[in-house]
Amino acid sequence: MNHQFDELTKSMAQSVTRRGALKKFSAGLAGMALACFGLANHTTAAPSFTSLDFPGAVFTAADDINAKGQITGWYIDTSGVFHGFLLDNAAYTSITFPGAIHTSALGLNANGDVVGAYFLTDEKKDNFGYVLRNGTFTSIGVPGAAQTRAFGINTNGDIVGIYTDQQQGKHHGFLLRAGVFTSIDFPGSAYTDVWKINDAGQIAGRYQTGGNSKFHLFLLSDGIFTAIADFPEAVQMAPTVVCSHHSGLNGAGDIVTAYSDSTPVNNNLSDNVVGSLHGLLWSGGGYTVIDFPNANFTVAYGINDSGVIVGAYQDTNGAIHGYLRTP
């Protein structure tokens, strides 16, 4: 499984702890890419942006938002440890899987159930997904998989995510419904990630074909895969960099993520990646680019049925913050 997000953000947190300055986050947070049909949307009404920061954290990212406006995400504390969080009515609650040295909260549903990932001692050996429901954690592991992460959950309790097989380390998506796992692979793909599932059962993700380094987006509805055309301005769709597994989907089938508009796009630590990343919304067959005002870069992770979007951005001092974007 791709741990580029974990490795880079760990090093970023360690830099803050050692140097006591967030501006040392020079590499920044890289993003994902969204590809969809249509041309870029350019609306006249400017949306409003609000920064989100877990109290005392050195790094905050908002990953999903439900119909009630509850937000889940993750933060890094001053010791460089990852935790998940839930933001509800302006109150932050930290989320840490019992005994874990790393926890991230990556998705939630209208009931406030949260899904994410954790590892106990070694992320290469004991990386699992989880669901947090009514204060109780339940671990999620695809049978026989090397690693599992949960990214999305709908109101019915259906959970989606990614896993790697033991033999090849190949990425597959999964659906967990009523206790039964189903593997999800885009037809003919060499690599499939699954990100989110809505209440209609639609599933969004990315795939890569054999012999081609480019990623593309798909939507799975009623068992039918639809390949989504690449965003015309993207040099790389869903680049294999930090946070490439995160993306949002709402009940209308709108999708949010990010894209890179310049090269290189496959190097986490390249300064050239910073500034080339932009959030992206696909809605009604068209694109809208999302940029937090005056940010070095912006990525979009979650969207609810009202079109409210959450994600992360890097400010001009190199600090990473979550954000809320209201249409």
Side-chain angles (χ1 to χ4, degrees):
M1 185 170 295
N2 188 334
H3 296 291
Q4 292 173 319
F5 167 72
D6 299 339
E7 292 302 322
L8 181 55
T9 49
K10 272 187 210 169
S11 66
M12 293 164 78
Q14 289 166 356
S15 175
V16 170
T17 302
R18 290 193 302 265
R19 297 172 175 83
L22 281 170
K23 63 182 179 180
K24 297 298 182 181
F25 281 37
S26 59
L29 175 71
M32 303 169 281
L34 173 68
C36 308
F37 296 110
L39 299 175
N41 286 332
H42 298 287
T43 59
T44 56
S48 63
F49 287 86
T50 303
S51 288
L52 302 174
D53 291 284
F54 190 91
V58 299
F59 177 113
T60 302
D63 207 84
D64 204 1
I65 181 169
N66 64 14
K68 298 177 182 178
Q70 295 173 311
I71 297 170
T72 194
W74 70 98
Y75 70 96
I76 303 176
D77 64 25
T78 54
S79 298
V81 178
F82 285 69
H83 307 271
F85 72 80
L86 178 68
L87 175 58
D88 186 10
N89 291 323
Y92 285 90
T93 300
S94 184
I95 297 174
T96 301
F97 191 93
I101 62 173
H102 171 119
T103 304
S104 55
L106 305 172
L108 83 166
N109 62 16
N111 302 322
D113 302 329
V114 176
V115 294
Y118 74 94
F119 60 84
L120 300 174
T121 59
D122 185 344
E123 64 177 322
K124 294 182 180 180
K125 294 181 180 178
D126 56 335
N127 192 314
F128 301 96
Y130 72 85
V131 58
L132 173 60
R133 181 179 291 120
N134 297 324
T136 300
F137 287 92
T138 301
S139 185
I140 298 171
V142 175
Q147 299 173 16
T148 303
R149 291 190 179 191
F151 287 101
I153 182 171
N154 65 13
T155 304
N156 297 324
D158 301 329
I159 296 170
V160 295
I162 61 176
Y163 74 95
T164 58
D165 57 45
Q166 293 281 11
Q167 290 74 29
Q168 301 174 347
K170 177 182 176 181
H171 277 224
H172 309 268
F174 75 82
L175 167 66
L176 174 59
R177 173 176 290 163
V180 177
F181 286 95
T182 301
S183 189
I184 298 174
D185 291 285
F186 189 90
S189 67
Y191 179 117
T192 302
D193 283 343
V194 166
W195 290 328
K196 292 292 189 293
I197 182 169
N198 63 20
D199 288 350
Q202 293 179 307
I203 294 171
R206 73 171 184 171
Y207 70 97
Q208 182 185 62
T209 58
N212 187 335
S213 62
K214 295 256 182 181
F215 285 97
H216 312 278
L217 273 291
F218 71 83
L219 190 66
L220 174 59
S221 300
D222 296 323
I224 299 174
F225 287 90
T226 298
I228 299 174
D230 293 349
F231 180 53
E233 297 178 22
V235 171
Q236 173 64 291
M237 302 301 301
T240 304
V241 288
V242 175
C243 301
S244 57
H245 300 314
H246 304 261
S247 180
L249 172 71
N250 68 10
D254 301 331
I255 303 173
V256 292
T257 186
Y259 72 97
S260 175
D261 62 13
S262 65
T263 57
V265 293
N266 290 320
N267 182 351
N268 282 0
L269 303 178
S270 172
D271 289 342
N272 292 326
V273 170
V274 176
S276 71
L277 300 171
H278 309 271
L280 195 63
L281 164 67
W282 178 55
S283 180
Y287 292 101
T288 298
V289 176
I290 300 168
D291 286 310
F292 192 95
N294 302 315
N296 288 344
F297 68 77
T298 306
V299 289
Y301 292 150
I303 182 171
N304 67 12
D305 289 353
S306 298
V308 180
I309 294 169
V310 295
Y313 74 96
Q314 184 188 58
D315 66 25
T316 55
N317 293 319
I320 308 297
H321 312 268
Y323 72 82
L324 177 75
R325 178 187 181 270
T326 303

